[in-house]
Amino acid sequence: MDISGAAALVTGGASGLGLATARRLAEAGARVAIVDLPSSAGATVAEELGGSFAAADVTDPDQVAAAVAQAAASGPLRVVVNCAGIAPPAKVLDREGAPTPLADFERIIRINLVGTYNVIAQASAVMARTEPAADGDRGVIVSTASVAAFDGQIGQPAYSASKGGVHAMTLPIARELARYGIRVLTIAPGIMETPMLKGLPQAAQDSLGEQVPYPQRLGRPDEYARLVLAMVDNGYLNGETIRLDGAIRMAPK
Ligand code: NAD
C-alpha cells in the first residue's frame, strides 16, 4: 500500500515504539498524527516530523473521535498504530498477603485493552467511509500486545490480561472489518529498549537482554517500526499477531 500523502495516526507516538513508528511513517511520506497525553512530548515530536499532535487519552471516546477527525483532515486515513500503553507491575497479593487494590488491575486493562479497542472503533468508523485505494484496500490497523500475552511473569496478571485481550480481539475485528478492506494486525514485542523499559534498574535490563536467545540484546524501537511498515506494505497479512522478540520465552520472574 502506498501511504505517501495518506494520514497515519499513532497513539503513544510521543515516545518509544510509537515515536520510532511515527518517524518511519513520516519518512514514507505519510502525514503523521501523534495522539498522546497532554503531558507528553507529542507537540515537539509532531513539529519535528511535520505532522500534527492531538492531546487525547485513548480511553476517552470523545477525545479519540476528535483526534481521528483531526488526522483524517490531512489526508485519507490509511494507517492506525496503537502504541499507547502502561506496564506497572502489580501482583495479586501484596507483601502481607492481602489482595492489591482492584483499581490497579482495572487501570491497566482500561488503558491497554479498552483504550486500544476505543481507538480501533473510532478510527475504523472513519476509515470505513474513506474512498478505497485502487486495489480495494482502505487501510491497516496495527496494535501492540506483548510477549506477556503468552508468557507473562509474576507481577503481570493485569498487563498480561490486557495484552492477551489485544491479541484475542485481533482476529474477530479483522473478520468484521474485512468487508471494508481494512486489515487488522498486532505485534507482540519482546523486551524493547524504550523509556518504559529504561525505568528498570540497569541490572534488570542487562538480565532481560541476556535472556534473549538471539540476538542477545534488547529490541530496538526501529525494529518494531520496520515491522509496522512491512505490515502496511504486505497486503496479504491480516488477522494475525506476530511476535518480535529474538525468540525469548520469558521466565516466571
Ligand atoms: P513508552 O512509555 O515509551 O510510550 C508509551 C506512550 O503511551 C507514552 O508516550 C505515553 O504518554 C502514552 N500513553 C500512556 N497512556 C496513555 C493514554 N491513556 N492515552 C494516550 N497515550 C498514553 O512505552 P513503549 O515501550 O514505547 O510502549 C509502547 C507499547 O508497547 C505499550 O503498549 C507497551 O505495553 C508495549 N510493549 C512495550 C515493550 C517494551 O519492552 N518496551 C514490550 C512489549 C510491549
Side-chain angles (χ1 to χ4, degrees):
M1 172 183 274
D2 179 15
I3 55 167
S4 174
L9 183 153
V10 184
T11 76
S15 175
L17 304 184
L19 172 58
T21 304
R23 286 212 170 99
R24 281 279 174 186
L25 288 166
E27 248 174 57
R31 297 183 179 135
V32 177
I34 305 284
V35 179
D36 208 309
L37 295 173
S39 55
S40 73
T44 315
V45 169
E47 199 179 333
E48 179 204 322
L49 301 178
S52 65
F53 172 54
D57 186 319
V58 290
T59 65
D60 185 308
D62 294 338
Q63 289 181 19
V64 170
V68 168
Q70 183 181 316
S74 69
L77 182 59
R78 298 274 186 234
V79 180
V80 173
V81 187
N82 280 300
C83 284
I86 58 169
K91 289 187 184 174
V92 179
L93 302 179
D94 66 18
R95 280 175 204 276
E96 280 73 46
T100 52
L102 190 58
D104 293 354
F105 186 91
E106 286 176 337
R107 179 165 172 265
I108 298 172
I109 299 288
R110 179 137 189 91
I111 294 175
N112 292 358
L113 178 56
V114 179
T116 298
Y117 175 81
N118 182 37
V119 171
I120 292 175
Q122 298 293 340
S124 62
V126 169
M127 292 169 87
R129 290 194 300 266
T130 306
E131 253 329 274
D135 52 7
D137 258 19
R138 281 200 168 82
V140 186
I141 299 172
V142 179
S143 299
T144 311
S146 163
V147 293
F150 310 105
D151 30 271
Q153 298 189 296
I154 292 170
Q156 292 192 306
Y159 186 70
S160 295
S162 71
K163 297 304 191 176
V166 171
H167 160 65
M169 71 183 176
T170 303
L171 182 61
I173 299 176
R175 287 172 161 168
E176 178 181 340
L177 299 185
R179 61 191 290 242
Y180 302 108
I182 299 170
R183 294 182 292 121
V184 182
L185 289 151
T186 291
I187 298 174
I191 301 160
M192 312 297 285
E193 202 171 1
T194 70
M196 184 182 271
L197 197 93
K198 284 180 189 153
L200 292 178
Q202 189 59 46
Q205 289 186 43
D206 293 347
S207 144
L208 286 167
E210 281 162 18
Q211 288 175 35
V212 187
Y214 187 79
Q216 208 172 71
R217 58 167 172 80
L218 305 183
R220 298 177 182 131
D222 191 53
E223 289 168 330
Y224 172 97
R226 280 158 50 209
L227 181 53
V228 172
L229 271 281
M231 285 175 156
V232 170
D233 183 56
N234 193 323
Y236 205 62
L237 269 178
N238 194 12
E240 177 64 326
T241 297
I242 296 183
R243 291 180 70 127
L244 179 71
D245 65 0
I248 196 170
R249 298 295 178 268
M250 289 201 299
K253 58 182 176 180

